[in-house]
Amino acid sequence: MSLKGKVALVTGSTSGIGLGIARALAAEGADILLNGFGDPAQIESLREGIVSSFGVRAAYSGADISHPAEIAAMVRQAADELGGPDILVNNAGVQFVADIADFPDEQWDRVIAINLSGAFHAMKAAIPGMKARGWGRIINIASAHGLVASAQKSAYVSAKHGLIGLTKVAALELANDGITVNAICPGWVLTPLVQKQLDDRVAREGRSLEEITQALLSEKQPMTKFTTPESLGALAVFLCSDAAATMTGAPISMDSGWVAQ
Ligand code: NAD
């Protein structure tokens, strides 16, 4: 239980990768502030599941990460209800797929607000407390798309490249405050965000889900396997450990070989 006594705020943790990371940090003893959208009864059962499975405290904030004032209130809630946050995982993210010439302005603004500006506002709100306590871990969930591009993902690729830049700046600013800042760059993970892209292609291309899944994986990844939220959770736990105390400013790939090409 290496994280007992620490408080972790994981944005977008009602689903997918964020939930996997929240559960992995809780398994190491961290108290958790969950955040994200969804059915209130299901979210309450996720929260209760974390409390009963891991014996930690867990609370929930419904803050919309596209609204800076709600982010600040969420960080205050973490401090008031749990103490902390000592660990901030900026994970909330959305996707929109279209050519630049057809990309709706409001979707550009939405993707940048949630995937990039949200991380800035959460870091701005959480850093003073981490500095005061002399310890902190900030983990930004970027993507292989933070390092390389794909067509039709202008807002997402721009936000994720920006998030890696933001990670490096924060790492420099906090280098001697006991706070590390790193970015995790996953390849394909089978979550609702990717399931929607698969379903859209099945509808558009008229091939089976199995064929489209194989195509999606093999177009980008030498290893045609999904990364799991559990593996990413284990990587986040490592980044919070003493062994990773000097690891900072790094984009860390777990992407089935995507960016090795
Ligand atoms: P997901 O759709 O399963 O989960 C997204 C989470 O973000 C949900 O909890 C959702 O409620 C929350 N969210 C969305 N908009 C929000 C908002 N405005 N305010 C608060 N919460 C909001 O997606 P996922 O695949 O688990 O993605 C998580 C992160 O991982 C994203 O940043 C994504 O870009 C990144 N990522 C995903 C993959 C992949 O293949 N799935 C690969 C690389 C990076």
Side-chain angles (χ1 to χ4, degrees), residues 19-38:
L19 181 58
I21 291 176
R23 292 178 62 86
L25 296 174
E28 289 298 317
D31 297 321
I32 304 291
L33 183 66
L34 290 169
N35 159 256
F37 299 148

Side-chain angles (χ1 to χ4, degrees), residues 11-18 35-38 63-66 90-94 110 114-115 141-144 156 160 185-194:
T11 69
S13 47
T14 54
S15 168
I17 295 169
N35 159 256
F37 299 148
D64 182 334
I65 299 302
S66 62
N90 288 306
N91 166 80
V94 292
R110 173 171 169 265
I114 297 169
N115 296 21
I141 306 305
S143 169
Y156 189 86
K160 295 300 189 183
C185 303
W188 292 121
V189 186
L190 191 54
T191 65
L193 183 142
V194 168

Side-chain angles (χ1 to χ4, degrees), residues 151-170:
Q152 299 202 305
K153 294 187 174 173
S154 54
Y156 189 86
V157 168
S158 301
K160 295 300 189 183
H161 275 67
L163 188 56
I164 291 178
L166 178 64
T167 300
K168 293 176 182 176
V169 172

Side-chain angles (χ1 to χ4, degrees), residues 65 68 71 109 111-123 159 166:
I65 299 302
I71 296 172
D109 291 343
V111 173
I112 298 293
I114 297 169
N115 296 21
L116 177 58
S117 303
F120 164 77
H121 292 294
M123 286 162 65
L166 178 64

Side-chain angles (χ1 to χ4, degrees), residues 53-155:
S53 303
F54 306 115
V56 298
R57 297 179 298 157
Y60 166 71
S61 160
D64 182 334
I65 299 302
S66 62
H67 295 309
E70 294 187 30
I71 296 172
M74 172 181 68
V75 172
R76 279 199 302 276
Q77 182 188 342
D80 293 345
E81 290 185 21
L82 301 169
D86 307 292
I87 299 163
L88 169 65
V89 183
N90 288 306
N91 166 80
V94 292
Q95 176 63 280
F96 192 86
V97 179
D99 287 338
I100 292 173
D102 304 321
F103 212 93
D105 293 352
E106 61 278 12
Q107 289 297 343
W108 169 273
D109 291 343
R110 173 171 169 265
V111 173
I112 298 293
I114 297 169
N115 296 21
L116 177 58
S117 303
F120 164 77
H121 292 294
M123 286 162 65
K124 187 173 175 179
I127 283 169
M130 291 180 181
K131 272 186 161 179
R133 289 184 292 276
W135 193 93
R137 292 287 187 269
I138 299 173
I139 302 172
N140 294 323
I141 306 305
S143 169
H145 282 122
L147 298 165
V148 294
S150 293
Q152 299 202 305
K153 294 187 174 173
S154 54

